[in-house]
Amino acid sequence: MTAGLGAAGLSLAGEAFAATEIFPVKVDSTLFKDINRAKNPAKETGLEELHVPVIKAPSKVTAGEPFMVEISVGEKPHPMMQAHYIEFIELNIGNEPAGVANLNSMGYVRPKVSFSIVLTKESAPGGKATLVAHERCNIHGYWEGTKDIEVV
Ligand SMILES: [Fe+2]
């Protein structure tokens, strides 16, 4: 048992896996090296339009009162099928995790989630908070979208 684990660990540490060994479809492995963002939000590329999370939330909220944050994946509907789908959508308040939704690849759900959020004055230094949404596509990597809101 110990020898088997050691061999597996050595294999993982000593060899680089080719993307074709890991993924069932050919992928651009550079999309998995970092968080992807829209380079120019005013003029997104086709890949960005399909993957940058879009956050719908009030631009101004009252501390202590709940409000809804809706996150959808991309300006255009992203596929949700076994070969190509969104694995999860998560919301952070700045650097703090707020929630995550894991999605099924069988086509039952659309890549859109809503969270009920309450912010305090302490969570919004200077009266501002940044909502940070992430999503991961199984063949196009990890993507981020943000929205600043005012907390009064
Ligand atoms: Fe994708």
Side-chain angles (χ1 to χ4, degrees), residues 17-79:
F17 290 96
T20 52
E21 293 176 37
I22 300 170
F23 300 101
V25 292
K26 201 166 182 74
V27 300
D28 178 355
S29 60
T30 61
L31 292 171
F32 288 85
K33 290 184 176 172
D34 206 346
I35 298 174
N36 301 297
R37 301 175 179 92
K39 289 176 178 59
N40 178 2
K43 191 177 180 184
E44 292 186 345
T45 65
L47 199 60
E48 292 169 348
E49 284 181 336
L50 206 57
H51 292 92
V52 174
V54 177
I55 301 172
K56 281 189 188 171
S59 56
K60 185 176 183 178
V61 300
T62 303
E65 292 187 11
F67 61 97
M68 295 304 293
V69 175
E70 180 187 281
I71 304 167
S72 55
V73 174
E75 295 287 345
K76 296 178 178 176
H78 189 281

Side-chain angles (χ1 to χ4, degrees), residues 50-51 78 84 86 137 139-140:
L50 206 57
H51 292 92
H78 189 281
H84 186 197
I86 301 303
C137 167
I139 61 174
H140 295 117

Side-chain angles (χ1 to χ4, degrees), residues 8-9 90 98 100 115 128 137 139 151:
E90 64 184 17
V100 62
F115 295 99
K128 303 256 185 218
C137 167
I139 61 174
V151 182

